[in-house]
Amino acid sequence: MSASTAATFSTISFAPKATPFPSGARALNFTTQSSLLSFSGLKASSPSLACHSNSSFLGKETAAALQRSLLTKTHKSTLAQTTPSAPLNIQASYKVAVLGAAGGIGQPLSLLIKMSPLVSDLHLYDIANVKGVAADLSHCNTPSQVVDFTGADELAKSLKGVDVVVIPAGVPRKPGMTRDDLFNINANIVKTLVEAVADNCPNAFIHIISNPVNSTVPIAAEVLKNKGVYDPKKLFGVTTLDVVRANTFVALKKNLKLIDVDVPVVGGHAGITILPLLSKAKPSANFTDTEIDELTVRIQNAGTEVVEAKAGAGSATLSMAYAAARFVESSLRALDGDADVYECSFVQSDLTDLPFFASRIKLGKNGVEALIPSDLQGLTEYEQKALEALKPELRASIEKGVAFVHKQPVAA
């Protein structure tokens, strides 16, 4: 999926003197005396490819994990035994498809994915207006080749050989609209797209962004089951935005350095089903009962906060794109062999009595390697009550998604 020619960019400095990116080149050439700037805000410098993340998709622990991963690659390539300028060749070798790429989330998300040094091919699909998006992005001098696909007739082609499928397709929330109001519109969209994924790239990681995630992920699972290709380890509801918001709000409230903050968020991805576990926040912080309640409610209602602020002009498209790109990058790192990748996601789970549940997971080459149960241990009384309170609503949303698929035939 990638060529062997190494290259550097003019906009991303990999060597002291950057050169134009030659046509057809797909590999990246890093040196220990150069600066590495990726879309996730990473920097590498001599003498040992040290990584620092000042403002990025990455938290402190994730940045450290990436540093270990890069150092492992360095040692494997015997970089330590060669001259300081010896190159570390990292292939851009993964194909990513964005279904709904012309939308409010799809466009900024596609831009962020285009900036990833791990992506060789970026397939952009939508029912209309995607050609201009692809043309625009294709001018960015990053490794991935951008190809556009328009309409149902080209959907299958957009998915051939893809490693990660990201689905932001659907209608956005409008003032006064709950996530549940979106169900009837978006359920059919997700069902149709996942049917195509099952037929054309059944082994791909599937990232569901389309709301309501509490129902659309079960819809996707039932479609995949009916197609005989369901792998629960490779189906993800993207709840990263809840974590991003929790980290941001906690850092502001407690005057903490944002890059150090990590707050696990469990449950689901709507209203009271979103449960930030402030007692598990890193670094540890003391919260008053009032602060806990205010932070929890704000994190749960942050989407509505943006919808109301935009006053009918859209929903949380930019922050959602940012969070989704972080989850894509984590998936690509896992596929690329990084053994220390953790994110929160809404997945099939046995951590509670619910069939799907958002929690911290460990990602690997085959998808979910492990669920992390420790976050649900030793909860505060507030968190335990909130956990029990969210279960009926989350269960109803899951069952609604399952029932939707059972009422309708799966396309051949």
Side-chain angles (χ1 to χ4, degrees):
M1 289 187 287
S2 59
S4 59
T5 307
T8 55
F9 308 113
S10 58
T11 57
I12 303 178
S13 175
F14 297 103
K17 292 183 179 181
T19 57
F21 191 79
S23 176
R26 314 295 278 284
L28 306 180
N29 199 22
F30 300 98
T31 68
T32 55
Q33 291 183 334
S34 66
S35 172
L36 167 61
L37 295 174
S38 85
F39 79 113
S40 51
L42 301 173
K43 297 180 181 178
S45 58
S46 60
S48 60
L49 209 61
C51 297
H52 309 281
S53 181
N54 298 320
S55 61
S56 71
F57 299 102
L58 307 176
K60 189 174 183 180
E61 294 179 353
T62 309
L66 184 56
Q67 179 183 18
R68 290 192 292 273
S69 175
L70 288 173
L71 288 174
T72 298
K73 292 176 184 292
T74 303
H75 293 313
K76 286 183 177 180
S77 65
T78 66
L79 186 59
Q81 284 75 44
T82 62
T83 61
S85 61
L88 170 60
N89 198 35
I90 297 178
Q91 298 290 328
S93 55
Y94 298 101
K95 292 185 178 181
V96 178
V98 180
L99 309 184
I105 296 171
Q107 290 195 42
L109 172 57
S110 297
L111 172 62
L112 293 171
I113 295 173
K114 178 74 171 77
M115 295 171 68
S116 172
L118 291 172
V119 178
S120 62
D121 297 87
L122 180 57
H123 291 185
L124 305 184
Y125 170 84
D126 216 316
I127 58 174
N129 304 321
V130 73
K131 286 187 179 296
V133 177
D136 200 357
L137 288 180
S138 69
H139 295 177
C140 300
N141 59 330
T142 57
S144 54
Q145 292 186 351
V146 182
V147 185
D148 62 273
F149 303 86
T150 302
D153 291 343
E154 296 186 359
L155 177 56
K157 188 186 296 185
S158 74
L159 294 167
K160 295 296 184 183
V162 166
D163 300 294
V164 178
V165 180
V166 191
I167 306 180
V171 300
R173 294 176 68 195
K174 297 178 181 178
M177 180 185 288
T178 67
R179 292 183 187 273
D180 197 53
D181 293 333
L182 300 177
F183 179 82
N184 289 329
I185 302 172
N186 289 348
N188 266 311
I189 295 174
V190 171
K191 176 176 175 290
T192 299
L193 295 177
V194 174
E195 286 171 350
V197 172
D199 291 337
N200 295 283
C201 54
N203 294 318
F205 284 19
I206 305 172
H207 296 185
I208 304 292
I209 297 172
S210 306
N211 278 317
V213 167
N214 293 352
S215 296
T216 53
V217 171
I219 286 172
E222 293 304 306
V223 169
L224 295 168
K225 288 176 185 177
N226 290 340
K227 290 282 190 176
V229 294
Y230 179 51
D231 183 348
K233 294 181 179 180
K234 295 184 177 181
L235 176 62
F236 307 91
V238 180
T239 62
T240 319
L241 181 53
D242 299 324
V243 176
V244 167
R245 287 166 167 163
N247 292 348
T248 301
F249 300 162
V250 167
L252 290 172
K253 176 69 73 173
K254 290 299 179 180
N255 196 27
L256 298 171
K257 191 175 181 180
L258 184 56
I259 198 64
D260 295 330
V261 179
D262 183 21
V263 182
V265 182
V266 301
H269 186 56
I272 67 164
T273 70
I274 300 169
L275 178 56
L277 300 179
L278 299 176
S279 69
K280 306 289 184 177
K282 295 180 181 178
S284 180
N286 293 320
F287 299 94
T288 66
D289 291 345
T290 299
E291 287 176 330
I292 291 172
D293 189 60
E294 289 178 347
L295 281 168
T296 299
V297 171
R298 189 182 180 197
I299 293 163
Q300 290 173 340
N301 296 327
T304 301
E305 181 179 314
V306 175
V307 169
E308 292 176 349
K310 290 190 174 182
S315 58
T317 53
L318 301 178
S319 54
M320 182 66 249
Y322 171 88
R326 164 176 156 168
F327 194 74
V328 170
E329 180 76 353
S330 291
S331 294
L332 294 174
R333 285 172 47 214
L335 285 167
D336 200 44
D338 190 332
D340 198 13
V341 182
Y342 295 84
E343 287 284 358
C344 287
S345 181
F346 186 63
V347 297
Q348 182 173 309
S349 174
D350 60 3
L351 294 183
T352 69
D353 56 345
L354 298 168
F356 292 90
F357 192 79
S359 69
R360 196 189 305 270
I361 61 173
K362 181 179 182 181
L363 285 164
K365 288 186 174 182
N366 296 313
V368 179
E369 281 195 354
L371 305 173
I372 310 302
S374 57
D375 287 338
L376 295 180
Q377 297 169 359
L379 298 179
T380 65
E381 181 180 357
Y382 179 94
E383 291 165 345
Q384 190 62 52
K385 287 182 177 179
L387 176 60
E388 295 306 315
L390 70 81
K391 287 182 179 180
E393 181 173 326
L394 182 52
R395 186 184 301 278
S397 296
I398 293 169
E399 291 175 350
K400 186 174 184 179
V402 172
F404 174 82
V405 177
H406 289 175
K407 291 177 182 176
Q408 301 189 31
V410 174

